[in-house]
Amino acid sequence: MPVARFRIGIEVELLLSSKKTSGNNEPGLDKATFAAGLTTSYNKKTEPPLPRMALNLQGKIQAQPRSEWNLVDDSAVTPDKERSNQYALEIVSPILEYGTEFQWSRAVTHLWDCIATDCVIETNDTCATHVHLSPLNGTPWDIESLKSICRSIIHFEGAFEVLVPPGRRGNRFSQNNRLGSPSLIERSDQECYRKIGDCPDIATLISVMQPRTSASSGYQLRKYRAWNFLNLFPAYPGTIEFRQGPGVIDSSGCLAWVELVVSFVQAATQRGSVKSLQGYARTVEGLKTFIDAASVPGLNQPKLLTSIFENKSGYLEPTCHDDDRAKPER
């Protein structure tokens, strides 16, 4: 069943420094003190219905439903070694509704405005923006929608490679799904579509798109794909996660990548059949047409995508580290 409205979650990885100290090499505060001050400052500027922020450096975020931004530590992000006053942090959103009222985008804009008041916001190639999606009504994803999404991911993988900056191509924390799957690597698109279509259940579909790399590979290693489906397993949040987005430094960048992911998945649930995909080139231009064809006036915000698509065209063959490349099934 096509899905047009979603619950969304956003994770942004940042390098932050205080505007009071960012221009010099003086020792900064310890990270906990800096993060506490940022949380307090944000909350002082925030009134309902905008979500407040919780300081949660240990990353033990409360179970769904989540109503606050969470400021957490992020060991995967590497700050500038020459700057003791720059802090690697991640901000995890509350569960937001992607709907016609645009309350989600107001919450995102308010967050960035508050941070920018106190901090210099920077990123590097170790930073990323992750977007989680699930159906708005709280029902689980149905397998046919998931198959349509997976086929669309395969079809447009080279277009996404063009859209993301070089540091997100072949990145070990967001590896290409096809190149990491013995079931899909070195197979044509049509063969991949058949593999996806033959999956009898969601667990099998996950194993095709995101297989175990070894008998001992757990969730943490296995989730490092451009599109992460592991949260669809029982006891997990029930989301699809896009992990290939780059770090961003303002609300417009954050909003753009959320809009891209939502618009793509929305289009995929409607137009991700084998027959429909044959009508779209695998290029950036084809992806834009694919997204535009499913856009809903008053729901989607296509103007947000301009910064991502501007001056981009064509297709790039995905790459990966040799150690991450799957061995084809025989």
Side-chain angles (χ1 to χ4, degrees):
M1 179 182 297
V3 181
R5 297 184 67 181
F6 301 92
R7 295 191 300 183
I8 57 177
I10 310 164
E11 301 165 2
V12 290
E13 298 169 344
L14 303 167
L15 296 170
L16 300 178
S17 54
S18 169
K19 285 190 171 179
K20 297 177 181 178
T21 61
S22 64
N24 58 56
N25 289 321
E26 294 178 9
L29 302 169
D30 65 88
K31 183 181 286 188
T33 303
F34 173 83
L38 180 59
T39 302
T40 299
S41 178
Y42 171 87
N43 287 333
K44 285 180 178 179
K45 300 182 183 78
T46 304
E47 298 291 340
L50 292 168
R52 292 173 63 81
M53 181 181 289
L55 178 59
N56 201 341
L57 288 185
Q58 300 306 312
K60 296 179 180 179
I61 299 172
Q62 68 184 67
Q64 292 184 323
R66 205 168 58 237
S67 60
E68 298 176 313
W69 295 98
N70 274 251
L71 185 62
V72 304
D73 198 3
D74 195 326
S75 60
V77 176
T78 306
D80 186 339
K81 294 180 180 179
E82 303 299 320
R83 295 171 58 185
S84 62
N85 52 23
Q86 187 181 66
Y87 308 91
L89 291 164
E90 179 179 1
I91 302 177
V92 181
S93 79
I95 297 172
L96 302 169
E97 292 189 3
Y98 183 93
T100 54
E101 296 79 18
F102 303 121
Q103 191 65 33
W104 75 274
S105 57
R106 294 190 190 100
V108 170
T109 300
H110 176 73
L111 171 77
W112 287 92
D113 287 348
C114 289
I115 295 174
T117 300
D118 298 320
C119 299
V120 174
I121 305 170
E122 299 171 278
T123 65
N124 59 25
D125 286 347
T126 67
C127 297
T129 301
H130 304 157
V131 182
H132 291 257
L133 293 180
S134 62
L136 181 61
N137 58 11
T139 59
W141 289 99
D142 67 272
I143 191 167
E144 292 307 318
S145 290
L146 291 172
K147 288 180 180 180
S148 293
I149 293 166
C150 291
R151 284 190 291 262
S152 301
I153 289 168
I154 296 298
H155 189 81
F156 290 111
E157 62 183 1
F160 274 93
E161 290 289 302
V162 176
L163 296 182
V164 300
R168 301 305 294 169
R169 299 170 190 160
N171 188 291
R172 303 198 77 170
F173 292 97
S174 56
Q175 302 161 31
N176 178 267
N177 288 80
R178 190 198 311 234
L179 296 181
S181 169
S183 300
L184 303 178
I185 192 171
E186 296 183 8
R187 294 184 182 273
S188 69
D189 285 1
Q190 293 299 320
E191 290 174 315
C192 290
Y193 298 159
R194 282 195 291 273
K195 279 283 186 180
I196 290 167
D198 288 344
C199 293
D201 51 46
I202 291 175
T204 306
L205 183 62
I206 295 171
S207 71
V208 167
M209 294 297 293
Q210 207 167 348
R212 285 184 178 273
T213 54
S214 68
S216 61
S217 63
Y219 175 90
Q220 195 66 21
L221 287 177
R222 195 178 169 193
K223 78 173 184 179
Y224 294 150
R225 297 290 184 268
W227 293 88
N228 173 27
F229 294 90
L230 297 187
N231 289 323
L232 299 177
F233 279 124
Y236 284 94
T239 65
I240 298 169
E241 179 189 16
F242 178 70
R243 296 180 53 83
Q244 201 175 6
V248 294
I249 60 171
D250 54 31
S251 61
S252 61
C254 184
L255 293 171
W257 283 99
V258 174
E259 183 68 29
L260 174 63
V261 176
V262 170
S263 298
F264 173 75
V265 172
Q266 178 178 306
T269 62
Q270 299 176 30
R271 299 172 180 272
S273 67
V274 175
K275 182 178 180 180
S276 293
L277 288 171
Q278 290 173 346
Y280 297 96
R282 301 171 72 232
T283 60
V284 169
E285 294 87 344
L287 174 59
K288 186 65 165 61
T289 302
F290 179 74
I291 288 172
D292 287 345
S295 182
V296 178
L299 176 64
N300 300 110
Q301 301 180 71
K303 288 184 178 179
L304 292 175
L305 301 179
T306 301
S307 62
I308 295 178
F309 279 91
E310 195 169 30
N311 300 320
K312 304 284 181 62
S313 64
Y315 171 97
L316 279 176
E317 200 67 40
T319 61
C320 69
H321 291 263
D322 289 343
D323 291 345
D324 301 324
R325 183 180 295 272
K327 294 182 179 179
E329 286 180 343
R330 300 300 182 193

